[in-house]
Amino acid sequence: MTTLEFCHELEFSKINFIERKIKINHPRTIITGPPKSGKSFLIFDYLSNYNQEDYIYIDFSDYRNEKDEIEKNLEEYVFRNKIKVIVLENFEFDFKIPFCESVIISTKLDTTLKGYKKLFLTPLDFEEYLLHDKKNQNITQTFNNYLKNGNLPGVVNIDEIHTFNRLHDLIILINKDKTSQEILKILFLNIDEKKSLNQLYLALKNKIKISKDKFYEECKYFEKNKIVYFIEKYEQKKATKKIYSYNPAFLSAITHKKKFKNELTNIIFCELINKYKDIYYLDYIDFFIPSKKLAIVSIPFFNSFMMQSQLKKIYKIVDEYKIKELFIITVSNDEQFFHQNIEVNVLPFYEWSLS
């Protein structure tokens, strides 16, 4: 059996797909997103609308698929078999795409093609996680698992020990070599921290042999592929940036140190990136959305009586930037009160994310 015959026989109609907020609704689509965010299952859902003989699914990360054979014979094979949909997973745009009624591409490359719609898929937000969770737990327990195990679709319903193994394997998968792994680990260890790349480079240099060029090159790669985010301070481009990961569970997967506030803040960030493009931080404000005059502060265990000093610092920034909405996100606390004419909403994460 040839590679193309094998790829043509693959069938996805029986895949148990759970709806995502993003769908493929254009016949020519390029999908990007960080590793294991669910890109393939989005494609499987799209293919379920077709008969098996009408599509060909080619994954270039599958070692069994002979790339030279595909490049040489794909156009003729598509024409001869009257194929309606070509799927090219993990494609690098290194040969001409044959004409077809529909072409769906997943790739790591930031490529734009005329006539193609681009989709960027992040892992599950909390509402999607609830739909995927089959354990029928109460919402508090589901949130605890979401915070502990992360937002990747593939870890929702597996045991905790296997979750850690999956995350460790994923760190290896993302990286080219051991040095890249160490760079990514030090970035993950500093989520929700204000650290310059130079600070992190010097810290890592004390641990392993590494060049500055290599360190900065890898950081740029992780940022470009939305594995790590560097958030600016509002209107202060030269200020130290804050670091976040596309999956907060990486932190607990690489250290025994408990950084509960950092993980909660990172998971809040993951909810925001699908809603807003203009996300910054301010002194005492974790996230500021200037277009909405919206401020969000992460305080896992909030008590308004005990935190008057911290609230005064927050209010000063609220007044300075004419902020109209202030949310304080917690694990379980729920309060509402006013600062002047601004309502301060203290909400558990799961209430805020679903509101």
Side-chain angles (χ1 to χ4, degrees), residues 2 5 133 150 164 187 196 215 218-219 226 249 269 272 279 289 293 301 321 337 346:
T2 67
E5 287 171 336
D133 185 11
F164 284 113
L187 291 169
S196 71
F215 181 83
E218 290 300 307
C219 289
K226 302 292 195 299
F269 172 76
L272 294 173
I279 305 173
I289 317 297
K293 293 293 182 183
F301 307 101
Y321 287 89
F337 49 88
V346 181

Side-chain angles (χ1 to χ4, degrees), residues 301-329:
F301 307 101
F302 180 81
N303 183 307
S304 56
F305 179 75
M306 300 289 290
M307 294 185 171
Q308 287 302 312
S309 175
Q310 186 172 352
L311 282 171
K312 285 179 183 177
K313 294 173 183 176
I314 293 170
Y315 292 155
K316 184 180 178 182
I317 301 300
V318 165
D319 295 339
E320 181 181 346
Y321 287 89
K322 297 180 172 57
I323 289 167
K324 295 179 180 178
E325 286 187 281
L326 174 61
F327 285 90
I328 296 174
I329 310 303

Side-chain angles (χ1 to χ4, degrees), residues 87-139:
V87 173
L88 304 173
E89 284 251 52
N90 300 294
F91 188 50
E92 296 184 344
F93 300 92
D94 44 2
F95 65 81
K96 183 182 175 183
I97 302 167
F99 175 79
C100 194
E101 181 182 309
S102 176
V103 180
I104 309 299
I105 297 168
S106 77
T107 182
K108 292 180 181 179
L109 305 177
D110 185 15
T111 303
T112 300
L113 292 180
K114 186 177 180 181
Y116 282 73
K117 180 180 179 180
K118 292 181 74 173
L119 284 182
F120 183 82
L121 184 67
T122 58
L124 305 173
D125 66 18
F126 187 61
E127 188 174 11
E128 290 176 321
Y129 187 93
L130 286 171
L131 292 173
H132 281 69
D133 185 11
K134 298 175 183 176
K135 298 171 186 173
N136 297 315
Q137 304 162 113
N138 62 57
I139 195 165

Side-chain angles (χ1 to χ4, degrees), residues 77-232:
Y77 189 91
V78 167
F79 177 78
R80 176 162 46 87
N81 290 279
K82 299 178 181 178
I83 287 171
K84 296 178 181 178
V85 185
I86 301 172
V87 173
L88 304 173
E89 284 251 52
N90 300 294
F91 188 50
E92 296 184 344
F93 300 92
D94 44 2
F95 65 81
K96 183 182 175 183
I97 302 167
F99 175 79
C100 194
E101 181 182 309
S102 176
V103 180
I104 309 299
I105 297 168
S106 77
T107 182
K108 292 180 181 179
L109 305 177
D110 185 15
T111 303
T112 300
L113 292 180
K114 186 177 180 181
Y116 282 73
K117 180 180 179 180
K118 292 181 74 173
L119 284 182
F120 183 82
L121 184 67
T122 58
L124 305 173
D125 66 18
F126 187 61
E127 188 174 11
E128 290 176 321
Y129 187 93
L130 286 171
L131 292 173
H132 281 69
D133 185 11
K134 298 175 183 176
K135 298 171 186 173
N136 297 315
Q137 304 162 113
N138 62 57
I139 195 165
T140 306
Q141 185 58 50
T142 301
F143 164 63
N144 289 339
N145 289 338
Y146 185 58
L147 187 61
K148 184 190 298 182
N149 300 330
N151 53 11
L152 303 180
V155 303
V156 179
N157 294 299
I158 64 175
D159 296 334
E160 189 172 324
I161 183 65
H162 294 117
T163 299
F164 284 113
N165 292 337
R166 288 272 186 96
L167 292 172
H168 293 159
D169 291 343
L170 186 50
I171 290 172
I172 294 169
L173 176 69
I174 291 170
N175 292 284
K176 308 165 191 171
D177 51 45
K178 290 281 187 181
T179 303
S180 297
Q181 285 181 41
E182 292 301 323
I183 295 169
L184 188 59
K185 281 167 64 178
I186 199 169
L187 291 169
F188 287 159
L189 283 169
N190 286 277
I191 64 169
D192 192 39
E193 301 285 353
K194 286 181 272 187
K195 294 283 182 69
S196 71
L197 291 185
N198 190 56
Q199 282 177 290
L200 297 177
Y201 164 68
L202 293 174
L204 189 59
K205 190 180 177 183
N206 289 329
K207 183 180 176 184
I208 64 170
K209 186 177 180 179
I210 181 173
S211 72
K212 197 167 189 176
D213 287 345
K214 167 76 171 177
F215 181 83
Y216 277 76
E217 179 187 324
E218 290 300 307
C219 289
K220 188 177 288 187
Y221 170 82
F222 295 139
E223 182 180 23
K224 184 179 179 181
N225 287 278
K226 302 292 195 299
I227 292 165
V228 173
Y229 294 80
F230 299 99
I231 303 304
E232 294 181 359

Side-chain angles (χ1 to χ4, degrees), residues 221-268:
Y221 170 82
F222 295 139
E223 182 180 23
K224 184 179 179 181
N225 287 278
K226 302 292 195 299
I227 292 165
V228 173
Y229 294 80
F230 299 99
I231 303 304
E232 294 181 359
K233 189 174 185 180
Y234 183 60
E235 293 184 331
Q236 295 189 42
K237 284 186 174 290
K238 293 184 179 180
T240 306
K241 296 177 182 178
K242 290 179 78 174
I243 303 167
Y244 293 100
S245 163
Y246 81 97
N247 177 16
F250 281 124
L251 177 57
S252 59
I254 61 174
T255 180
H256 293 296
K257 294 178 181 177
K258 299 300 179 187
K259 293 186 174 182
F260 195 72
K261 193 272 181 188
N262 304 60
E263 291 173 307
L264 177 64
T265 310
N266 199 146
I267 216 160
I268 292 168

